[in-house]
Amino acid sequence: MNPTQQVDAVMQASAASGRHYRDSIPMIASENILSPLVAEAIQGDLHGRYAEGLPGKRYYQGCDDFDTIENIGIESAQRVFNCRFANIQSISGTVSNMGALKALTKPGDTITAVSTADGGHISHHPMGAVGMRGLNLVTYPWDEERMEPDVDAASKLIRTEQPELCLFGQSVILFPIPLQELADVAHEVGARVMYDGAHVLGLIAGGEFQDPLREGADVMTGSSHKTFPGPQGGFVLSDSDDELLQKKLNNAIFPGVCSSYHLHHVAGKVVAMAEFEAHGKQYAKDIVSNARALGSALSSEGFDVIAEERNFTASHQILTRHGGPDSGAGKRAAQRLEDCGIITNMNMLPGDTKAMSGPSGLRLGTPELTRIGMGADEMQDVAKFFARSLLSEENPETVKSDIARFKSEFQTVKYAIQEGPAYPEI
Ligand code: DSN
């Protein structure tokens, strides 16, 4: 491939991806789209600039204007997340976790966390940030019915293991966890408590989920691009007034795990926080009510939706089961749905043991559908498309073209100071 062909290939594939999402029903729970003002902020000159350190304490000249942005952003994050300390530099949720682990632990320490099979994130695993920090991981006993740590057994484990850090939070998360009770036990044995709020950060800030910093978490990390609807990036937050802890957290991000920290994305985060202050509460409320409406609609169509007895969910996620443990039925369903124009991801459910080939379930998210203006009525339409794709097994091309027609009515980003096209003009 010569240079021109290479550029063409990239441009064509990028445009094709844009068309794919524009015409589909995007339901990956960790994804969202940019508002026009956030998109404008991340396309500015800051893209090519460096700023190491904190506002007013830089290693490079030229940072005064960016200092203005970062100072506004820190104050905004303190308001949005109701906390005394905010670092808005991290370039992702995983990098936020790496930083927090660096600040809160040392190699050889023991940490407790949710296993990846039960929904913990890969950065909580020895293959990820926990392993990079050289930590000894012990996972919580899990209540598969309630999809949360078994409080009594986890409390016992924390008392027995005496970890330095108790980490909570999941990537597969339907309900708040009993954090206060477990944080009390953690503090009793001298452990710090960290809550990874990557997925549910927008719901937390919008007052629609649990409030980890008021329920015993010393530090909360999160992504800026999932239920919190900003550009890709992360946050490290704490309500502690412990200046040493705050200093350690800042130092863990720079120079710990970031050098340049993508200044254009910081600018985008600051714009996104302004939009969140204006519209975030309503957005968070609508995400959760759409998720519940979707669970109910899918169940009415005949799908096996997890946690029906608990009204399906209290987050932005829904889990569906498509076959027995390790059947791989979730993997097949995800592929067929994509063929029909619905983008989801396969997910392990209780009983599954093979992450790549075995998942029997799907994880469905409502952040993007909510962001483009869909409500309870459209969740019923979406459930019907699921039924046509997976239960009636209609011709995928027919379903796909009906979905593209349906989706053409939902092409505008809402909950923004300035509404605009949800997908790039192609
Ligand atoms: N793996 C992502 C997810 O939950 O989809 C988060 O990093």
Side-chain angles (χ1 to χ4, degrees):
M1 196 177 273
N2 67 34
T4 306
Q5 289 169 329
Q6 184 166 324
V7 170
D8 283 349
V10 170
M11 297 308 178
Q12 280 173 29
S14 175
S17 176
R19 285 193 296 275
H20 188 38
Y21 281 87
R22 179 196 64 193
D23 295 341
S24 303
I25 296 178
M27 302 186 75
I28 303 287
S30 46
E31 293 183 350
N32 214 314
I33 45 179
L34 296 180
S35 73
L37 290 176
V38 172
E40 190 180 327
I42 69 174
Q43 280 165 4
D45 176 75
L46 290 168
H47 178 270
R49 306 299 163 196
Y50 260 70
E52 293 179 339
L54 290 167
K57 294 184 202 154
R58 300 295 190 190
Y59 293 83
Y60 301 120
Q61 296 310 118
C63 297
D64 288 356
D65 297 317
F66 180 68
D67 281 3
T68 302
I69 293 172
E70 190 168 344
N71 276 325
I72 293 170
I74 291 168
E75 283 180 19
S76 179
Q78 288 165 337
R79 284 194 305 276
V80 168
F81 302 110
N82 188 17
C83 58
R84 292 186 176 90
F85 169 85
N87 182 300
I88 63 170
Q89 299 180 344
S90 159
I91 61 171
S92 73
T94 292
V95 169
S96 304
N97 286 345
M98 288 166 66
L101 291 174
K102 185 169 189 304
L104 298 171
T105 63
K106 58 185 186 320
D109 281 354
T110 294
I111 175 177
T112 53
V114 179
S115 81
T116 46
D118 293 325
H121 188 245
I122 194 68
S123 59
H124 309 175
H125 191 276
M127 275 191 295
V130 160
M132 283 180 64
R133 188 63 176 147
L135 303 173
N136 167 34
L137 173 71
V138 184
T139 57
Y140 301 114
W142 197 247
D143 181 333
E144 292 192 346
E145 285 290 309
R146 293 187 60 79
M147 305 201 72
E148 64 188 30
D150 175 322
V151 178
D152 290 340
S155 300
K156 195 168 162 203
L157 177 100
I158 292 168
R159 289 194 174 100
T160 309
E161 295 291 337
Q162 304 261 315
E164 274 72 23
L165 179 68
C166 295
L167 168 55
F168 299 97
Q170 306 111 253
S171 290
V172 183
I173 181 161
L174 297 181
F175 301 103
I177 57 160
L179 183 60
Q180 185 73 67
E181 288 162 85
L182 293 166
D184 286 347
V185 179
H187 287 146
E188 178 192 307
V189 302
R192 294 268 202 191
V193 175
M194 170 177 161
Y195 185 91
D196 180 347
H199 264 267
V200 285
L201 199 66
L203 307 183
I204 291 169
E208 289 295 320
F209 207 65
Q210 64 188 139
D211 190 359
L213 294 179
R214 252 59 50 198
E215 295 169 25
D218 301 297
V219 174
M220 176 164 73
T221 54
S223 302
S224 49
H225 51 269
K226 296 184 168 83
T227 54
F228 186 84
Q232 293 221 341
F235 293 105
V236 178
L237 308 160
S238 176
D239 199 34
S240 169
D241 57 6
D242 177 346
E243 285 181 13
L244 182 60
L245 174 65
Q246 296 184 356
K247 192 170 175 201
K248 279 186 176 178
L249 290 168
N250 276 331
N251 287 344
I253 296 298
F254 172 82
V257 292
C258 289
S259 166
S260 168
Y261 49 89
H262 303 185
L263 309 193
H264 56 315
H265 277 214
V266 172
K269 278 184 231 181
V270 180
V271 172
M273 284 190 279
E275 297 195 307
F276 197 90
E277 289 197 76
H279 300 285
K281 276 192 192 311
Q282 190 62 48
Y283 180 49
K285 195 167 184 249
D286 293 347
I287 288 175
V288 177
S289 74
N290 273 346
R292 288 201 175 119
L294 178 69
S296 171
L298 286 168
S299 178
S300 300
E301 291 293 337
F303 287 100
D304 182 358
V305 187
I306 302 293
E308 179 166 8
E309 64 292 349
R310 292 181 76 186
N311 203 8
F312 306 105
T313 188
S315 77
H316 58 306
Q317 297 182 6
I318 283 290
L319 294 174
T320 51
R321 184 188 300 281
H322 299 267
D326 281 341
S327 60
K331 183 174 188 163
R332 291 190 291 280
Q335 182 58 61
R336 181 159 179 94
L337 285 170
E338 184 169 12
D339 294 343
C340 295
I342 301 176
I343 304 170
T344 64
N345 63 269
M346 64 179 177
N347 213 94
M348 289 171 78
L349 295 180
D352 287 334
T353 58
K354 298 175 191 156
M356 271 313 285
S357 61
S360 56
L362 294 175
R363 184 186 68 168
L364 313 173
T366 54
E368 185 165 340
L369 299 186
T370 306
R371 197 89 195 286
I372 53 177
M374 292 195 191
D377 289 350
E378 285 75 32
M379 293 305 105
Q380 302 219 0
D381 296 331
V382 169
K384 286 191 182 3
F385 284 124
F386 268 74
R388 289 176 59 189
S389 307
L390 296 177
L391 302 180
S392 337
E393 297 192 359
E394 270 188 46
N395 181 338
E397 288 305 321
T398 311
V399 184
K400 197 173 185 166
S401 79
D402 289 350
I403 282 179
R405 201 169 312 115
F406 164 74
K407 183 70 181 306
S408 66
E409 303 292 321
F410 299 94
Q411 297 288 322
T412 302
V413 184
K414 312 280 186 182
Y415 309 95
I417 289 171
Q418 184 184 302
E419 294 186 356
Y423 302 94
E425 307 288 347
I426 298 155

